[in-house]
Amino acid sequence: MSESTRQDSPPSTSGSTARRAVGLPVQAYVVFVAMAALVMSQQWLVPRLDSPALATWSTIFVAIVVQSIPFLVGGVLLAGVIATLLSERALRRLVPASPTLGVPVAGLAGVALPGCECASVPVASSLMRRGVAPSVALTFLLAAPAVNPVVLVSTAVAFPDRPEIVLARFLASLLTAVAVGWLWLRFAGRVPILHRRSTHDHDESTAQAFLGSVRHDFIHAAGFVVLGAMIAAAINTFVPRSIIDGVAGNVVLAVAAMALFAFVVALCSEADAFVAASLSAFSDTAKLVFMVVGPAMDVKLASMESGQFGGAFALRFVPLVIGVAVLSAVGMGWWLL
Amino acid sequence: MVAAVKRATQTLLLAVTGAVLLRMAAGDSYLRYVNSWMRWPLIACGAFLVALALLDVFREQGSQDDEHDAHVPRAAWLLFAPSLVFFLIAPPALGAHFAERAQSAVVPVDTSTEVDLPPLPEGDPVPVVLDEVLLRAAYDDGATLADRRLELTGFVSRDKAGTWFVTQFGMNCCAADATVMRVAASGVDAPPDDQWVRVVARHVSGTGDGGREEPEVVVEQLELIEAPKNQYR
């Protein structure tokens, strides 16, 4: 097993393996000692870090990370299943050969998968690695966190006796996912997407390949979740609420503000309906914008996507998604609400 | 330039993160950040991350190449941050500082809709949660609260004008979406911020009507208490 791995590795790799066998993993020891030192000096440090604003920031920061990680682990497990256990044939039977047809199918497939948005990035990446057209995988990425039953039920709970809001949310999110998929297919086929290779290739047992893929995907995505959580917590803590609320009166400004608010606060899609419902100063259409933009794109997702698919990709994808999401939400709001 | 995250360090990263999640879920500290139903997902997830790290330690040395270390984004270092923040700052449950800026749970009601609120249960004083006070005050000028002594529990926060409030946060998903529920208190001097209190008070008729502002209460008795295990609603 290990013999075959070594033979297949390029020469540079076996060189570094040899070096590693001699030297200890120094970096890990240094990091471990540094952490231990920090934790030991806790008694001394904690009173010096005692400021209400910092405490509020750190509570929200830790809360977003703690809430996201179980969903992220669920996502990387599913991504691992797709990457290693799902056969080419099964995948081909599930996804239509033509991307034009595959896009709406992927959009509807999102209904069946209750996932958080942080789970869907590794899943989409894993689909692409398995040869699914990027536009199809991206449609799934946008649809899965937005139109699944959990999100729709929580929306119905947050807006009692307003089924039209649930319907508008469902249609606007599905429309966003499918429209972005088709636009990407038509206009952005050549935009480079980084395909980060999942650890080693074929010469491993399935179990090892599965664990390797899970570990790789988790390490890749988690840092970006943390970065997004840091920014979202800072916005929550340091931008005065009066600024956010102050723009509610103006129709255009309210829509723009809700889109921006959804982008920066990075709530999980299961919870954003309750927050939207509580933004009582805003119109229903503005609330709909908040609920459609949020699951499709936020600072945490943008951070994860630029890590997973590369900066060139994120630079095009992020504004495209926000633009389409705002337009479809406003359109739905005008039609249904 | 930040160094690439070596494989052994990645393993440490997984182990530390998993251990912190387990530590949080083993005690009550996870309740400061997320809902109580998150306990088992957190335990499962923490155990999984620790197991993933241990598997790597016991794997035969040399069968791993370090080639893909180069591809691990340097952002992976940031995964140490939540663990360090958890241990060093030990973030408390949200308190008075955030109450002043959080989204209010008070939602204006459409007074034209017919709502038939049942009377408060028997008892004097009758224990009521803050969201119920807000709801009852919003309809019919708070008719169902009239002439009743209410026992309210919450922590102390205050606004810029110096009014103090009996306050509690409601949480849907995690502390990031906390909404604040509070009633303005008068009649006694305010205890310090973030102090948990149990008060016996009467609702000031007409305040909080329609859900556009906080209801006011006149406090008759004030008792300082320990913070509850789960400080959110």
Side-chain angles (χ1 to χ4, degrees), chain A residues 1-2 5-6 9-10 12-13 16-17 20 25 27-29 31-32 35 38-39 41-42 45-46 49 52-71 73 76-77 196-197 199-200 204 208-212 214-216 218-220 222-224 226-227 230 234-241 245 261 265 267-268 270-272 274-275 277-280 307, chain B residues 3-14 16-17 20-21 24 30 32-35 37-38 41-42 44-45 48-49 52-53 55-56 59-69 71-98 100-108 172-179 194 211 232:
Chain A
M1 187 63 227
S2 64
T5 312
R6 214 171 293 167
S9 305
S12 65
T13 314
S16 80
T17 310
R20 232 182 121 244
Q27 189 189 52
Y29 284 114
V31 171
F32 183 76
M35 288 194 74
L38 277 171
V39 171
S41 59
Q42 189 200 13
L45 263 170
V46 169
L49 295 173
L54 183 65
T56 300
W57 176 84
S58 56
T59 303
I60 295 177
F61 166 58
V62 172
I64 297 177
V65 173
V66 168
Q67 178 74 31
S68 307
I69 283 186
F71 288 100
V73 167
V76 298
L77 286 174
R196 304 200 181 274
R197 241 164 24 99
T199 55
H200 320 285
E204 283 177 311
Q208 263 186 329
F210 176 73
L211 288 175
V214 166
R215 177 198 160 100
H216 171 271
F218 181 79
I219 295 271
H220 265 84
F224 292 98
V226 173
L227 182 64
M230 284 175 163
I235 302 272
N236 258 313
T237 315
F238 300 115
V239 176
R241 181 68 60 174
D245 287 346
F261 185 45
V265 294
L267 298 172
C268 55
E270 282 87 358
D272 61 358
F274 299 99
V275 177
S278 69
L279 295 167
S280 40
Chain B
V5 186
K6 292 269 192 274
R7 188 169 175 94
T9 313
Q10 293 173 25
T11 304
L12 186 62
L13 202 56
L14 294 173
V16 168
T17 307
V20 166
L21 291 184
M24 254 183 219
Y30 74 103
R32 303 197 295 242
Y33 316 113
V34 291
N35 259 321
W37 61 262
M38 281 293 287
L42 285 175
C45 180
F48 175 76
L49 292 178
L52 205 57
L55 271 177
D56 210 63
R59 237 156 151 188
E60 70 242 90
Q61 291 283 316
S63 72
Q64 292 300 322
D65 62 353
D66 250 356
E67 183 206 9
H68 54 278
D69 282 354
H71 303 305
V72 172
R74 288 175 167 78
W77 281 111
L78 287 174
L79 193 50
F80 279 119
S83 307
L84 285 175
V85 166
F86 177 69
F87 275 119
L88 295 181
I89 302 181
L94 291 172
H97 174 262
F98 195 62
E100 192 32 42
R101 38 184 308 113
Q103 187 63 45
S104 173
V106 185
V107 174
N172 297 309
C173 189
C174 70
D177 60 39
T179 51
D194 288 328
Y232 301 94

Side-chain angles (χ1 to χ4, degrees), chain A:
Chain A
M1 187 63 227
S2 64
E3 280 309 305
S4 68
T5 312
R6 214 171 293 167
Q7 276 160 16
D8 290 348
S9 305
S12 65
T13 314
S14 31
S16 80
T17 310
R19 248 183 292 129
R20 232 182 121 244
V22 178
L24 292 159
V26 181
Q27 189 189 52
Y29 284 114
V30 171
V31 171
F32 183 76
V33 169
M35 288 194 74
L38 277 171
V39 171
M40 302 246 246
S41 59
Q42 189 200 13
Q43 296 295 327
W44 180 86
L45 263 170
V46 169
R48 275 156 189 79
L49 295 173
D50 187 23
S51 108
L54 183 65
T56 300
W57 176 84
S58 56
T59 303
I60 295 177
F61 166 58
V62 172
I64 297 177
V65 173
V66 168
Q67 178 74 31
S68 307
I69 283 186
F71 288 100
L72 179 63
V73 167
V76 298
L77 286 174
L78 183 64
V81 169
I82 291 172
T84 52
L85 303 181
L86 199 63
S87 72
E88 294 287 345
R89 235 177 40 159
L91 197 63
R92 211 156 287 150
R93 226 175 324 148
L94 286 171
V95 183
S98 143
T100 316
L101 204 64
V103 164
V105 170
L108 286 173
V111 176
L113 197 88
C116 177
E117 51 265 43
C118 14
S120 55
V121 174
V123 172
S125 164
S126 154
L127 284 173
M128 282 188 214
R129 284 197 300 253
R130 292 302 299 271
V132 172
S135 50
V136 176
L138 293 175
T139 303
F140 184 74
L141 163 82
L142 294 175
V147 298
N148 68 61
V150 179
V151 170
L152 296 178
V153 167
S154 77
T155 311
V157 172
F159 293 92
D161 302 323
R162 303 287 308 275
E164 71 275 16
I165 291 201
V166 182
L167 181 68
R169 173 173 199 180
F170 174 78
L171 291 177
S173 285
L174 192 60
L175 179 67
T176 304
V178 173
V180 168
W182 275 334
L183 286 171
W184 196 263
L185 184 65
R186 178 74 185 74
F187 297 107
R190 283 166 204 277
V191 172
I193 296 183
L194 287 186
H195 293 281
R196 304 200 181 274
R197 241 164 24 99
S198 178
T199 55
H200 320 285
D201 293 318
H202 310 291
D203 44 9
E204 283 177 311
S205 72
T206 313
Q208 263 186 329
F210 176 73
L211 288 175
S213 149
V214 166
R215 177 198 160 100
H216 171 271
D217 285 352
F218 181 79
I219 295 271
H220 265 84
F224 292 98
V225 171
V226 173
L227 182 64
M230 284 175 163
I231 297 170
I235 302 272
N236 258 313
T237 315
F238 300 115
V239 176
R241 181 68 60 174
S242 57
I243 293 184
I244 295 169
D245 287 346
V247 289
N250 182 311
V251 176
V252 178
L253 217 53
V255 167
M258 280 293 93
L260 183 69
F261 185 45
F263 183 78
V264 295
V265 294
L267 298 172
C268 55
S269 54
E270 282 87 358
D272 61 358
F274 299 99
V275 177
S278 69
L279 295 167
S280 40
F282 289 84
S283 69
D284 284 345
T285 301
K287 288 177 196 166
L288 187 62
V289 168
F290 179 80
M291 290 189 291
V292 174
V293 172
M297 187 55 66
D298 60 40
V299 60
K300 182 180 68 188
L301 276 174
S303 163
M304 284 176 83
E305 283 159 5
S306 67
Q308 191 82 47
F309 305 121
F313 168 86
L315 222 55
R316 291 166 178 81
F317 189 66
V318 174
L320 174 71
V321 170
I322 295 178
V324 172
V326 168
L327 284 180
S328 90
V330 169
M332 273 310 152
W334 171 76
W335 184 43
L336 282 173
L337 300 179

